[in-house]
Amino acid sequence: MTAAEEQPGSAAHVLELVASGTAASRADLVRELGLAASTVSARVQELVDAGLLTEYGEGASRGGRRPRLLRIPDSGGIALAADLGSHHARLGAVGRTGAIFDVTEHSFDLTAGPDRALEPLVGRLAELADRQRAAGRTVRAVGVGFPGPVDTGTGQVIAPARMPGWHLYELRDRLAERLGLPVLVDNDANMMALGEHRVAHPGLRHLVVVKAGRGIGSGVISDGRLYRGARGSAGDISHVRVDAAAERPCSCGNIGCLETVASGAAIAAELRTLGIGVDGSTDVLRLVTDGEPNATTLVRQAGRHIGAVLSVVVNFFNPEAVVLAGALAEAEPLVAAVRGMLYERCLPMATSELTITAATSGADAGLLGAGHAALRELAPGSRPVPMAPAAPR
């Protein structure tokens, strides 16, 4: 949790209320924040002067003068966002209202190590920044979702599986130095959870988003905020031991991890032993869509394994929704199997009002989350501003 999130009434809080549509005028902000009108007016004026808010038109009167409406201009600040996979990179620019600009996707090999991966990533992000500035947008920060554990306090990558050379690599600082912008780096599942929550489930306070693709990860939204845990590993279900994995060695160095039987990489490897040529999760999904029985069976089994692990999470955390994202989540047999295991293994109190669904924000969820996190935590307006006491009532 950042300082801005801890303090209601901060400039970042004001921007968030306007960006989400919760408040459209100074009067709305007074009602939402419970602060004196003079305090809110001063805060809004600071943001207007900084180019982060603008006033336009007039809203409906509730008695008295019609209020001036507030909005966040695209020119007021965007974040560059990168959603990295082990073999691809999806890049775009994200505004505070959730608008996305100039999305591109590129081949990108993180497994080659940081020395070879950093240069192309910096180059692509610099080109993206130039396009935003040419369009009159102000680039405020950079958000990056990385497919492995990240210590968000230091910006270091921590022992990612299948990615030699990345352990303790200071990705945040290296990117900030090269781009001349503040950078936030976090786990890709966390960024996807933040994006899916913001776009598709903003009214929910407690949410688990599972990314089922080449690997498996999950992000946790607790009390409306991304929950990272003590060092950023909250939600890492990929390396929970499951009986079905028996003694299978995992890339993390342990044995019997969920990833070895339920990830897209594991399913693809199993299909190859059956003589079915597949490269990864996209090919697996294609086979399931075409009704190939072996792929369908393996995906359904993967859903049961994931559901078994999630049943512990649901009983313990009691979320309002479990959202399945990533390439494999587009396979209905997987979603149905997860749903069945949760209803079978969880307490009725935990599932009676639980929503279990596939993600709706699509491939841009990670970009939206990374951009939103960077703007929220790093950009101007994210620092708390001392609050004046509310007017007596």
Side-chain angles (χ1 to χ4, degrees), residues 187-198 201 206-212 216-221 235 237 310 313 317 319 321-326 357-359 361 365:
N187 172 259
D188 60 341
N190 281 348
M191 296 294 87
M192 181 172 282
L194 190 58
E196 179 70 14
H197 176 247
R198 181 172 172 79
H201 306 280
H206 308 286
L207 182 73
V208 175
V209 177
V210 178
K211 181 180 181 181
I216 299 172
S218 72
V220 178
I221 302 295
I237 63 172
L310 284 178
V313 175
F317 177 52
V322 171
V323 179
L324 302 172
T357 185
S361 54

